[in-house]
Amino acid sequence: MRRNVKILVLGLGVLLGYGSGFAGLCAHRQRQQAFERHVAQVCVDAARNPNAPLAPRRW
């Protein structure tokens, strides 16, 4: 009985671990696309108004 419980818990951990990894890959792609859109918007704003003051850094 104890052996069956261990196998079940380990199997569940493997499934949840792989699921978490795949979900993280999808979220990474969305964050990367959002960052690319942000950088493109900053470049467009700078090209339209080259004499605008620089925005303060947030870090």
Side-chain angles (χ1 to χ4, degrees), residues 13-41:
V14 167
L15 289 176
L16 291 175
Y18 275 106
S20 173
F22 287 126
L25 288 174
C26 293
H28 172 72
R29 186 176 303 130
Q30 292 171 353
R31 284 192 306 268
Q32 182 179 10
Q33 290 172 349
F35 177 72
E36 289 174 358
R37 283 191 303 271
H38 170 71
V39 169
Q41 186 63 45

Side-chain angles (χ1 to χ4, degrees), residues 54-58:
L54 295 176
R57 293 187 179 182
R58 288 192 254 173

